Amino acid sequence: QKLQSKFTHKYESSSASCIATIRGIPPFSGKILWAKQMERQVHALMKRMSDVLGKEWGQQLEGRQLRRSCDELLSKLDSRAYFRSWVSEWESELSSNTASKLNSYPIIVVRQNSGGSSGGVLVAKANFDQKHEYLFREIRYLKWLGYERDIPRTIALVSEEAIVRYPHAMALKTALSSYAAARDLITPELEPLVAKELRAIKDSIAEAFDVSSDGAKVTSKRRIRWDSKDISGWVAALNELVSRFEERVEILLRACDNIDIAIEALGTVAYDRQKFCDAVENVQKVVDELSLAGYSDLASWGDRVNRKMGAVLAKRLEEALHAWSETFQPVEADSSCEKDSKKKGKTAPVRAPKISVEILLRNQEISASPAVPTTRSIFLNELHDYMGIVCTLPCVNCERFEVFERASGAEGKRASTFY
């Protein structure tokens, strides 16, 4: 009765299925192992009955019903029929998959739908069916179970081919998934900086399609197929290129975060020359690190960084000039003006320059020393120095370490300050 109760529970929902999955046993072989274990328990029960009632226990009145029940259980546990059905399914599937040139390519391009769109995007994937991985694992366990002679030659050949391709396919899957993840992190603005690494990866993948990365037909370079002798070297080289690309992307994103922090500091630090210089120097250090690392097209990206910094500094300069004008407003200002100054004046109050002016009376004439034009000149010089805190800040230079820098005409002359 206990054995009969086990038949009411399917293998897929039993604890044996969970244990088999944890141990890496494929589902078909795991089910046969489970059936053989049940079969051994039935035979053990029949042997105990033989020891108690004798060898002819099945002919006796007491053991006749039990023997019939055991025979019925054993007929249900016959795995040969289950194995033949599995072989028939695989043979029909292999016959339906007609020979195609695509099967020899290690990489295929498929269209992947994203966000429910009808078109989707083209994605490169390893040309290795997940079913073939289960197939060679099933064949390995079936040989251990004694089905080696019953396995058809065609299925065995497909399994052997899958075993050879499996390590390269897993390496390709890892490389392509890592490349896709890192590629998604690159914005159009940052793409030119890693163009050299992207080009190398595309050229390596293009070797598997007999074309170059720009789509032109190539016959002089090597052809990579599953049966190529240098497939392992090509896969290793592609993994190395992808690892290099991931490293470069990580460094670049970290640099962008540091630059964003420094630019944000430009908008919050006190209106002081040294404070601004420290923030600009932090940006310059990050740019120098990228320049020494050999990132391509760094000058164009540096111009965008300078424009971002210029926008922040322009806002700071506008606030500073507003604070300067507020400093020299009459004390009897309207309350509305005071409220407006509180809204707009984010910069600390300006320390007004002290200009000593002597009023002289000579020969019944009143004069000022220094004269009014001189005083106006001194005041304007103070204003220019106040504006120069921002206007004379150095721009970020991406070519400080370029020994053979090309500088010809207007294109070679870059602004050294923001204003």
Side-chain angles (χ1 to χ4, degrees):
Q1 291 179 354
K2 289 183 179 180
L3 287 174
Q4 288 178 347
S5 64
K6 290 185 178 182
F7 279 83
T8 60
H9 302 286
K10 296 294 184 181
Y11 165 75
E12 290 76 12
S13 59
S14 64
S15 60
S17 176
C18 299
I19 296 174
T21 304
I22 294 173
R23 293 181 177 179
I25 301 175
F28 179 76
S29 300
K31 196 167 188 178
I32 292 181
L33 284 172
W34 177 73
K36 284 188 173 294
Q37 182 182 10
M38 299 276 289
E39 187 178 354
R40 285 194 298 269
Q41 293 179 8
V42 174
H43 283 297
L45 177 61
M46 294 173 67
K47 187 177 183 304
R48 285 198 296 268
M49 293 298 297
S50 177
D51 294 339
V52 174
L53 301 177
K55 294 182 179 181
E56 301 296 332
W57 64 276
Q59 304 297 328
Q60 300 177 14
L61 182 62
E62 295 85 354
R64 191 176 302 166
Q65 181 64 32
L66 183 58
R67 179 59 183 261
R68 188 181 302 111
S69 300
C70 291
D71 291 339
E72 291 174 356
L73 292 177
L74 290 175
S75 64
K76 296 292 185 181
L77 293 172
D78 184 17
S79 58
R80 291 292 173 178
Y82 184 52
F83 173 76
R84 285 192 296 269
S85 65
W86 178 80
V87 170
S88 299
E89 290 177 3
W90 264 104
E91 286 179 340
S92 62
E93 182 172 347
L94 293 177
S95 62
S96 62
N97 294 334
T98 57
S100 174
K101 290 184 178 180
L102 289 178
N103 293 331
S104 63
Y105 289 89
I107 294 178
I108 57 174
V109 178
V110 297
R111 189 173 297 276
Q112 182 177 5
N113 293 329
S114 57
S117 60
S118 58
V121 295
L122 296 177
V123 180
K125 301 181 70 175
N127 188 13
F128 187 79
D129 195 347
Q130 191 75 16
K131 293 181 180 179
H132 290 178
E133 177 186 351
Y134 287 109
L135 175 62
F136 76 76
R137 290 167 57 192
E138 296 282 12
I139 296 297
R140 182 174 57 188
Y141 278 95
L142 288 173
K143 288 180 179 180
W144 291 346
L145 293 171
Y147 290 89
E148 184 173 2
R149 295 183 179 180
D150 300 327
I151 299 174
R153 183 60 180 166
T154 55
I155 297 179
L157 288 175
V158 174
S159 173
E160 292 173 2
E161 184 181 76
I163 292 175
V164 175
R165 295 182 179 184
Y166 178 73
H168 303 313
M170 292 300 102
L172 275 178
K173 283 185 178 181
T174 302
L176 293 176
S177 61
S178 299
Y179 167 74
R183 186 66 180 83
D184 291 340
L185 298 176
I186 297 299
T187 61
E189 292 183 356
L190 299 179
E191 185 174 342
L193 276 70
V194 290
K196 183 168 59 177
E197 288 75 17
L198 287 172
R199 179 78 177 185
I201 294 175
K202 291 178 181 178
D203 289 342
S204 180
I205 294 177
E207 292 181 355
F209 297 100
D210 295 338
V211 295
S212 62
S213 57
D214 57 358
K217 183 74 175 179
V218 175
T219 57
S220 59
K221 288 187 177 182
R222 60 179 180 176
R223 281 188 4 161
I224 301 299
R225 296 293 182 268
W226 277 122
D227 54 354
S228 301
K229 294 181 179 179
D230 50 354
I231 179 70
S232 59
W234 175 75
V235 172
L238 180 60
N239 272 276
E240 185 177 352
L241 291 174
V242 172
S243 298
R244 173 68 174 168
F245 175 66
E246 284 185 300
E247 180 183 351
R248 302 279 283 181
V249 169
E250 183 180 358
I251 295 174
L252 180 59
L253 294 178
R254 191 184 307 118
C256 291
D257 291 340
N258 293 335
I259 288 177
D260 290 340
I261 293 173
I263 293 178
E264 185 179 354
L266 284 175
T268 56
V269 296
Y271 192 83
D272 180 73
R273 173 75 180 184
Q274 188 59 42
K275 299 289 186 182
F276 284 135
C277 286
D278 292 342
V280 174
E281 185 62 26
N282 291 334
V283 177
Q284 184 65 56
K285 288 179 180 179
V286 176
V287 174
D288 290 343
E289 292 176 359
L290 296 180
S291 178
L292 292 174
Y295 283 85
S296 59
D297 199 18
L298 198 60
S300 300
W301 178 74
D303 292 340
R304 287 193 290 269
V305 173
N306 282 326
R307 287 195 292 269
K308 288 182 180 179
M309 296 173 63
V312 175
L313 292 175
K315 186 177 180 181
R316 292 302 305 271
L317 181 60
E318 181 181 356
E319 295 173 356
L321 292 176
H322 181 80
W324 177 279
S325 63
E326 287 293 328
T327 302
F328 296 97
Q329 290 292 333
V331 178
E332 301 83 12
D334 293 335
S335 59
S336 61
C337 294
E338 292 179 1
K339 292 180 182 179
D340 186 64
S341 64
K342 288 181 181 179
K343 293 180 180 179
K344 296 184 179 180
K346 295 181 181 179
T347 307
V350 181
R351 183 178 297 177
K354 294 181 179 180
I355 303 175
S356 299
V357 179
E358 295 181 355
I359 305 299
L360 302 178
L361 178 62
R362 292 178 181 177
N363 298 326
Q364 297 182 354
E365 291 183 357
I366 298 177
S367 60
S369 179
V372 173
T374 305
T375 304
R376 184 184 296 110
S377 176
I378 295 173
F379 181 82
L380 291 177
N381 287 337
E382 291 288 342
L383 176 60
H384 290 165
D385 292 341
Y386 184 72
M387 295 172 60
I389 294 176
V390 168
C391 296
T392 59
L393 286 174
C395 290
V396 173
N397 186 6
C398 300
E399 300 175 346
R400 292 208 300 180
F401 295 96
E402 297 295 333
V403 178
F404 302 102
E405 176 185 357
R406 295 182 183 179
S408 59
E411 294 179 0
K413 295 181 180 179
R414 296 182 180 273
S416 58
T417 57
F418 285 98
Y419 297 99

